Amino acid sequence: QKTKNYTKEKWAEANDGLMAIFAELAACKESGASADSAEAQALVAKLQAHITENYYTCTNEILAGLGQMYARDERFKKNIDKYGEGTAEFAAEAIAVYCRKA
């Protein structure tokens, strides 16, 4: 529903914003932070808010499924890991922690 009237520019803006969060997760991982760190957890909350704002309501249940998909589906993993090897797995771990706490 939210995306039905998106222009090409709006799609690009939403997708770029999403990928920017993965870049932030990569930087978080590279800094030595753990998946359950306050920084990583804040980025997961930011990710969930971005998805809800730009695509669809991202419940914790949906988010948990996305996290698994980011690490297990090679297409997603490859796209996310372009910010740094292991970023998809780190994001998946951080999402799992976030969803367990909620």
Side-chain angles (χ1 to χ4, degrees), residues 1-12 14-15 50-56:
Q1 191 71 5
K2 290 181 183 184
T3 61
K4 72 177 183 174
N5 294 319
Y6 274 17
T7 61
K8 216 158 83 168
E9 291 77 19
K10 178 61 180 165
W11 271 111
N15 292 337
H50 182 84
I51 293 169
T52 295
E53 184 180 324
N54 291 282
Y55 302 104
Y56 51 82

Side-chain angles (χ1 to χ4, degrees), residues 17-92:
L18 183 68
M19 297 315 291
I21 297 168
F22 287 117
E24 288 182 83
L25 281 161
C28 179
K29 175 187 162 297
E30 288 303 311
S31 77
S34 64
D36 64 351
S37 68
E39 183 184 359
Q41 292 303 292
L43 288 170
V44 172
K46 183 177 180 179
L47 176 68
Q48 186 177 37
H50 182 84
I51 293 169
T52 295
E53 184 180 324
N54 291 282
Y55 302 104
Y56 51 82
T57 301
C58 185
T59 64
N60 287 347
E61 185 178 353
I62 290 171
L63 185 64
L66 288 172
Q68 291 177 11
M69 185 175 65
Y70 294 156
R72 294 182 185 162
D73 184 309
E74 284 303 316
R75 296 166 297 177
F76 284 94
K77 186 175 182 180
K78 181 179 176 187
N79 197 33
I80 294 167
D81 278 355
K82 71 183 177 187
Y83 297 103
E85 190 67 34
T87 301
E89 189 60 45
F90 180 78

